[in-house]
């Protein structure tokens, strides 16, 4: 199970079993932003669980980059 909350205008909370992460989207211009990720783990979470959780999040972000770049390019199209 997972829960996601988007707090307008630029903050997201993601909660999963044993871990919560936050995403802060910082605008850098009309067509650029930086996203800051912070991870919070349940007491007793193993180092391996923490490592795997961050790796999964990084993989998802790598996959999302292409989608976001394509959307941005098409904002200027017809």
């Amino acid at each position: 199970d997972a829960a996601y909350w988007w707090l307008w205008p630029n903050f997201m909370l993601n909660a999963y079993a044993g871990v919560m992460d936050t995403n802060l989207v910082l605008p850098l211009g009309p067509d650029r932003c930086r996203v800051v990720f912070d991870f919070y783990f349940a007491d007793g979470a193993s180092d391996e669980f923490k490592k795997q959780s961050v790796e999964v999040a990084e993989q998802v972000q790598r996959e999302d980059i292409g989608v976001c770049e394509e959307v941005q390019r098409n904002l200027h199209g017809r």
Side-chain angles (χ1 to χ4, degrees), residues 11-41:
F11 191 72
M12 188 173 188
L13 293 164
N14 310 300
Y16 316 92
V19 61
M20 180 184 81
D21 64 77
T22 61
N23 312 84
L24 176 62
V25 181
L26 303 170
L28 301 176
D31 60 350
R32 296 185 59 210
C33 69
R34 178 181 317 267
V35 183
V36 178
F37 296 89
D38 287 303
F39 295 87
Y40 304 88
F41 295 96

Side-chain angles (χ1 to χ4, degrees), residues 3-75:
Y4 306 94
W5 296 274
W6 184 264
L7 304 174
W8 179 261
N10 64 339
F11 191 72
M12 188 173 188
L13 293 164
N14 310 300
Y16 316 92
V19 61
M20 180 184 81
D21 64 77
T22 61
N23 312 84
L24 176 62
V25 181
L26 303 170
L28 301 176
D31 60 350
R32 296 185 59 210
C33 69
R34 178 181 317 267
V35 183
V36 178
F37 296 89
D38 287 303
F39 295 87
Y40 304 88
F41 295 96
D43 288 341
S46 71
D47 289 342
E48 184 60 25
F49 175 78
K50 293 175 188 178
K51 179 178 176 275
Q52 288 178 353
S53 295
V54 171
E55 286 174 352
V56 167
E58 288 175 348
Q59 178 62 37
V60 168
Q61 293 313 305
R62 283 191 296 274
E63 293 170 3
D64 286 352
I65 287 171
V67 172
C68 292
E69 288 175 344
E70 186 69 20
V71 167
Q72 191 65 41
R73 275 191 297 276
N74 287 311
L75 287 175

